[in-house]
Amino acid sequence: MLSESTRMSSAQEAAYRIQYPNSKKRAVKVIALDKMSARIVDEVSRMEWNGATFFTSLSFAAKSKPGDTSEGMQAWLEDLAGKTQDLVTEVENADFVVVITAAGEDARAVSVIADACALHNKTLVGLVVPQSQTSDEQVTHSLNHLRPFTRMLVVASGIDYVEAMLHALRA
Amino acid sequence: MLKKEQSDLLTQTGPGTPMGEMFRAYWMPALLSEELPEPDCPPVRIKLLSERLLAFRDSEGKLGLIDEFCAHRGVSLWFGRNEECGLRCPYHGWKFDVTGQCVEVPSEPVESGYAKKIKLKSYPLIEKGGVLWTYMGPPEKQPPEPEYEFCSVPLNQTFTTKRIQESNWLQAMEGGIDSSHVSWLHRGDLSSDPLFKGSVSNQYNMKDLAPVFEVVDSEGGLLIGARRNAEDDQYYWRITPWVMPCYTGVPPRGDHPMHGHFWVPIDDHNCWAWSYDYHPTRPLTDGEVTAMKNGKGIHVKYVPGTYIPLANKTNDYLINREAQKAGRTFSGVEGIGMQDASLQESMGPIVDRTKENLVGCDNGIIMARHRLMKAAKALVEKGITPPGVDPAHHKVRQAALLLKRDVPFKDGAKEALKAKKGVRQTSV
């Protein structure tokens, strides 16, 4: 287009990119699904973050069964200070939610979080973190728990990957 | 999002940089065999990993990859005469063999032994699968030859091309492991390109534009699974293998040849985009080869006599807004290869990753970056050989298959993801 005053990007042209913040701070909720992953979440939470919030345990009332996406579902998260927070409210205020499970641990609680995400149409990302003695079967077991509920499922290579992923997502 | 120092670490591959050291641990595609077709043919200038080199095939057919410039006064040996087992500089007649050893300095008496004291930097160059491969690392750490399946099958079963891409290697490679863009950018070609059309898998692609991803480590890199809903309580999985640092395989469609890429840094602002097609069990048909030569599939048409794509940044990739509007192409650019290249080049020579906003489905990219940084640091700080150097890591295949919903692809596709001689690809 001869009328245009710029062409395809060269190194020189790249200098004219407009410099401004193109995104707002986002709310990322990181939730441990079991006791082993609570340690991981606790460790990761000590790093520097851009507003991410971390939760080390989940509890829910008997009536909050998997698949219950009514407004009345009752489930609570425990934050790092030991305070109880309402799951649905936390998810409602999130841009996306990350759940972490240690491979082989019981990750069935993910379904309750998935229900809350479904209620508010939020993306759920699942991380399976293998431990030093984790077997392949245990990883498979964890993947099967998380697969039906997550938009993205990753077998993380370790805590350093959890950190890298959260930084990459501007958590 | 990456910090600038992380982006620099990943994108800078010149001598002495951490990622440059890592690339130098691998055999990399350097040239096509067709570029040095016969003994004493013209030499070829090539820049790899920010080093200017000259490739030639001597009178006995031996291959050499040496410093481009004469040790005497620094002129380019590209002007040299390839004759009698060496390349002779036209300026003062100095002559070098394929190892870079100076074998003749006409102005000095042979008896002086002067020539023996002159040697140009050189790298090994081997021929495999129609590709000339080089290893630019320390000689004592040279790994065994590459064993990627595309270069291990008979020559009539494989076809490889290359094109110059005016972007850093990393943003090109990241496009290769981002299979979520296929249903958007390439949607017009799935049903029309002769190397893609007719496969049942295209219907799954088009029915479900929001695939769900699952990423697991492999010995040599990553396996990135994209799943879409299919019939009878099944998922349709497309699994992309990534072998460090820059090899990817595109999941197959029907019985079409399988394809994929290598992205090899030329310098920090340019890379070679290598595109291969092969079939594990049968020769490529004349129709398939003709289509590839005509720029179909992942290949491109060229400016005649070059490896520069005919559609390129100087002509706005011959964008056709009518085709875009009509939906024949989603971006208006024709051909899968140039659809990718046009967008990746539009990001600028090195995209500013401090400004990107990644989302959950970008986890394959996040994980690949993480593994690259980790491996580069481990190599530089501890001398640990990076994943993907061992030829056993090359024997991985892309796959496309249906699996029951409760079967992880890492288990259900385990055998399908292994390259096995004489065994057809797993594809629907």
Side-chain angles (χ1 to χ4, degrees), chain A residues 1 4 6-14 17-24 26 50 96 123 125-127 135-141 143-144 146-171, chain B residues 1-3 166 208 210-217 227 235 237 269 312-317 319 321 342 345-364 366-371 374 405-411 414:
Chain A
M1 295 293 164
E4 291 176 332
T6 185
R7 303 290 292 171
M8 290 301 299
S9 290
S10 62
Q12 196 180 11
E13 282 286 320
R17 290 283 174 91
I18 306 169
Q19 297 300 319
Y20 70 103
N22 65 5
S23 63
K24 292 179 181 169
R26 64 210 63 185
N50 191 30
F96 60 89
T123 296
V125 175
L127 293 184
S135 68
D136 206 37
E137 288 71 28
Q138 286 174 307
V139 174
T140 298
H141 182 72
L143 287 173
N144 282 342
L146 267 57
R147 182 173 305 105
F149 307 107
T150 50
R151 295 289 310 161
M152 179 82 207
L153 187 51
V154 179
V155 180
S157 49
I159 290 182
D160 56 345
Y161 177 71
V162 179
E163 182 192 359
M165 188 204 78
L166 292 174
H167 277 304
L169 296 174
R170 297 178 182 269
Chain B
M1 192 268 287
L2 278 182
K3 294 174 186 165
E166 295 184 57
D208 188 348
V212 178
F213 291 91
E214 207 162 302
V215 187
V216 297
D217 278 322
R227 70 162 209 254
Y235 286 130
W237 286 95
H269 288 176
N312 57 57
K313 63 161 54 172
T314 66
N315 54 29
D316 282 336
Y317 307 93
I319 192 165
R321 296 292 186 186
S342 56
E345 290 183 353
S346 79
M347 298 157 111
I350 302 178
V351 66
D352 183 355
R353 291 182 174 80
T354 66
K355 302 189 88 173
E356 66 187 4
N357 288 283
L358 300 182
V359 291
C361 71
D362 293 315
N363 250 296
I366 296 169
M367 207 153 171
R369 292 176 184 175
H370 180 63
R371 288 207 69 179
K374 207 170 165 179
R405 294 194 178 195
D406 59 354
V407 178
F409 84 77
K410 76 172 184 65
D411 299 331
K414 204 169 199 168

Side-chain angles (χ1 to χ4, degrees), chain A residues 42-49 54 159-160 162-163 167:
Chain A
D42 184 58
E43 189 177 332
V44 171
S45 71
R46 295 167 200 271
M47 298 160 188
E48 198 171 317
W49 297 106
F54 298 86
I159 290 182
D160 56 345
V162 179
E163 182 192 359
H167 277 304

Side-chain angles (χ1 to χ4, degrees), chain A residues 64-73 111-112 114-120:
Chain A
S64 292
K65 292 172 188 165
D68 180 359
T69 54
S70 68
E71 292 288 349
M73 74 178 290
S111 65
V112 177
D115 289 342
C117 288
L119 186 64
H120 294 292

